[in-house]
Tab-separated table of all heavy atoms in Angstrom:
chain	number	residue	atom	x	y	z
A	636	GLY	N	39.199	11.700	27.933
A	636	GLY	CA	38.894	12.737	26.951
A	636	GLY	C	37.415	13.063	26.863
A	636	GLY	O	36.549	12.208	27.082
A	639	ILE	N	34.565	14.619	20.766
A	639	ILE	CA	33.347	14.034	20.196
A	639	ILE	C	33.235	12.551	20.617
A	639	ILE	O	32.136	12.049	20.852
A	639	ILE	CB	33.296	14.221	18.656
A	639	ILE	CG1	31.884	14.045	18.116
A	639	ILE	CG2	34.255	13.319	17.913
A	639	ILE	CD1	31.155	15.297	17.821
A	640	SER	N	34.385	11.863	20.770
A	640	SER	CA	34.356	10.440	21.155
A	640	SER	C	33.985	10.278	22.624
A	640	SER	O	33.155	9.425	22.965
A	640	SER	CB	35.711	9.774	20.904
A	640	SER	OG	36.095	9.909	19.567
A	661	GLU	N	39.267	14.882	31.371
A	661	GLU	CA	39.632	15.693	30.202
A	661	GLU	C	40.738	16.677	30.586
A	661	GLU	O	40.607	17.406	31.565
A	661	GLU	CB	38.384	16.431	29.675
A	661	GLU	CG	38.652	17.546	28.688
A	661	GLU	CD	39.459	17.117	27.465
A	661	GLU	OE1	39.006	16.243	26.722
A	661	GLU	OE2	40.561	17.674	27.257
A	662	ALA	N	41.802	16.693	29.779
A	662	ALA	CA	42.945	17.558	30.080
A	662	ALA	C	42.622	19.051	29.942
A	662	ALA	O	43.120	19.878	30.707
A	662	ALA	CB	44.102	17.201	29.150
A	668	GLY	N	37.519	18.767	22.446
A	668	GLY	CA	38.751	18.223	21.865
A	668	GLY	C	39.225	19.069	20.699
A	668	GLY	O	39.419	20.288	20.831
A	669	THR	N	39.342	18.438	19.542
A	669	THR	CA	39.794	19.101	18.312
A	669	THR	C	39.118	20.459	18.097
A	669	THR	O	39.757	21.417	17.665
A	669	THR	CB	39.436	18.165	17.126
A	669	THR	OG1	40.194	16.971	17.277
A	669	THR	CG2	39.714	18.798	15.784
A	681	ASP	N	35.387	19.263	7.771
A	681	ASP	CA	35.482	19.029	6.324
A	681	ASP	C	34.590	17.855	5.938
A	681	ASP	O	34.577	17.413	4.806
A	681	ASP	CB	36.933	18.840	5.853
A	681	ASP	CG	37.606	17.641	6.468
A	681	ASP	OD1	36.945	16.885	7.194
A	681	ASP	OD2	38.807	17.462	6.215
A	682	SER	N	33.844	17.329	6.910
A	682	SER	CA	32.791	16.376	6.532
A	682	SER	C	31.459	16.913	7.056
A	682	SER	O	31.429	17.809	7.900
A	682	SER	CB	33.100	14.965	7.027
A	682	SER	OG	33.400	14.945	8.388
A	687	PHE	N	28.933	13.527	10.914
A	687	PHE	CA	29.909	13.824	11.971
A	687	PHE	C	29.174	14.055	13.286
A	687	PHE	O	29.738	13.875	14.365
A	687	PHE	CB	30.789	15.030	11.617
A	687	PHE	CG	31.938	15.200	12.571
A	687	PHE	CD1	33.041	14.367	12.500
A	687	PHE	CD2	31.896	16.153	13.574
A	687	PHE	CE1	34.086	14.483	13.410
A	687	PHE	CE2	32.928	16.278	14.490
A	687	PHE	CZ	34.035	15.437	14.407
A	728	ILE	N	45.449	12.681	32.248
A	728	ILE	CA	45.806	11.329	32.705
A	728	ILE	C	47.289	11.104	32.414
A	728	ILE	O	47.744	11.273	31.270
A	728	ILE	CB	44.953	10.263	31.987
A	728	ILE	CG1	43.468	10.520	32.262
A	728	ILE	CG2	45.373	8.856	32.417
A	728	ILE	CD1	42.526	9.651	31.459
A	765	GLY	N	41.595	10.580	21.198
A	765	GLY	CA	41.952	11.006	19.843
A	765	GLY	C	43.186	10.294	19.331
A	765	GLY	O	43.541	9.215	19.814
A	769	HIS	N	47.656	17.128	21.422
A	769	HIS	CA	46.978	18.425	21.400
A	769	HIS	C	47.906	19.573	21.781
A	769	HIS	O	47.636	20.720	21.456
A	769	HIS	CB	45.769	18.412	22.334
A	769	HIS	CG	44.585	17.762	21.701
A	769	HIS	ND1	43.556	18.479	21.155
A	769	HIS	CD2	44.285	16.467	21.472
A	769	HIS	CE1	42.668	17.650	20.640
A	769	HIS	NE2	43.094	16.418	20.816
A	918	ARG	N	43.070	11.842	3.052
A	918	ARG	CA	41.750	12.422	3.284
A	918	ARG	C	41.423	13.470	2.224
A	918	ARG	O	42.290	14.257	1.837
A	918	ARG	CB	41.767	13.083	4.666
A	918	ARG	CG	40.447	13.002	5.363
A	918	ARG	CD	40.488	13.645	6.722
A	918	ARG	NE	39.142	14.075	7.017
A	918	ARG	CZ	38.218	13.304	7.571
A	918	ARG	NH1	38.521	12.069	7.911
A	918	ARG	NH2	37.014	13.750	7.790
A	976	GLY	N	47.597	8.899	24.049
A	976	GLY	CA	47.330	10.097	24.852
A	976	GLY	C	48.503	10.469	25.747
A	976	GLY	O	48.323	11.141	26.756
A	1017	TRP	N	34.299	10.481	11.501
A	1017	TRP	CA	34.866	9.828	12.687
A	1017	TRP	C	33.762	9.313	13.615
A	1017	TRP	O	33.806	8.212	14.158
A	1017	TRP	CB	35.717	10.887	13.403
A	1017	TRP	CG	36.488	10.462	14.586
A	1017	TRP	CD1	36.061	10.425	15.884
A	1017	TRP	CD2	37.860	10.033	14.598
A	1017	TRP	NE1	37.080	10.016	16.705
A	1017	TRP	CE2	38.198	9.773	15.946
A	1017	TRP	CE3	38.838	9.855	13.611
A	1017	TRP	CZ2	39.464	9.347	16.318
A	1017	TRP	CZ3	40.100	9.430	13.989
A	1017	TRP	CH2	40.403	9.173	15.324
B	184	LIG	C1	41.356	20.685	12.238
B	184	LIG	C2	40.731	19.341	12.161
B	184	LIG	C3	39.550	19.140	11.461
B	184	LIG	C4	38.952	17.879	11.406
B	184	LIG	N1	37.791	17.724	10.707
B	184	LIG	C5	37.191	16.519	10.684
B	184	LIG	C6	35.956	16.323	9.998
B	184	LIG	O1	35.391	17.236	9.414
B	184	LIG	N2	35.408	15.096	9.978
B	184	LIG	C7	35.994	14.042	10.613
B	184	LIG	O2	35.454	12.941	10.578
B	184	LIG	N3	37.165	14.195	11.283
B	184	LIG	C8	37.772	15.396	11.336
B	184	LIG	N4	38.951	15.547	12.006
B	184	LIG	C9	39.502	14.444	12.757
B	184	LIG	C10	39.034	14.724	14.214
B	184	LIG	O3	40.094	14.906	15.054
B	184	LIG	C11	38.073	13.703	14.682
B	184	LIG	O4	37.059	13.545	13.785
B	184	LIG	C12	37.419	13.959	16.032
B	184	LIG	O5	37.207	15.303	16.354
B	184	LIG	C13	38.242	13.284	17.041
B	184	LIG	O6	37.495	13.279	18.207
B	184	LIG	P1	38.041	12.554	19.477
B	184	LIG	O7	37.128	12.908	20.595
B	184	LIG	O8	38.264	11.116	19.203
B	184	LIG	O9	39.487	13.171	19.709
B	184	LIG	P2	39.923	14.667	19.988
B	184	LIG	O10	39.063	15.649	19.334
B	184	LIG	O11	41.382	14.686	19.692
B	184	LIG	O12	39.680	14.821	21.549
B	184	LIG	C14	40.422	14.077	22.460
B	184	LIG	C15	40.316	14.738	23.820
B	184	LIG	O13	41.045	13.934	24.730
B	184	LIG	C16	41.828	14.768	25.563
B	184	LIG	N5	42.997	14.024	25.989
B	184	LIG	C17	44.014	13.541	25.231
B	184	LIG	N6	44.926	12.934	26.014
B	184	LIG	C18	44.464	13.033	27.296
B	184	LIG	C19	44.982	12.621	28.553
B	184	LIG	N7	46.144	11.984	28.659
B	184	LIG	N8	44.252	12.908	29.662
B	184	LIG	C20	43.062	13.549	29.567
B	184	LIG	N9	42.544	13.984	28.397
B	184	LIG	C21	43.244	13.725	27.287
B	184	LIG	C22	42.183	15.946	24.688
B	184	LIG	O14	42.465	17.088	25.479
B	184	LIG	C23	40.930	16.117	23.846
B	184	LIG	O15	40.032	17.020	24.428
B	184	LIG	C24	39.563	16.791	12.057
B	184	LIG	C25	40.783	16.982	12.752
B	184	LIG	C26	41.352	18.233	12.798
B	184	LIG	C27	42.633	18.401	13.556
Side-chain angles (χ1 to χ4, degrees):
I639 199 101
S640 303
E661 166 56 60
T669 296
D681 62 5
S682 52
F687 190 76
I728 301 172
H769 279 259
R918 214 179 153 86
W1017 184 273

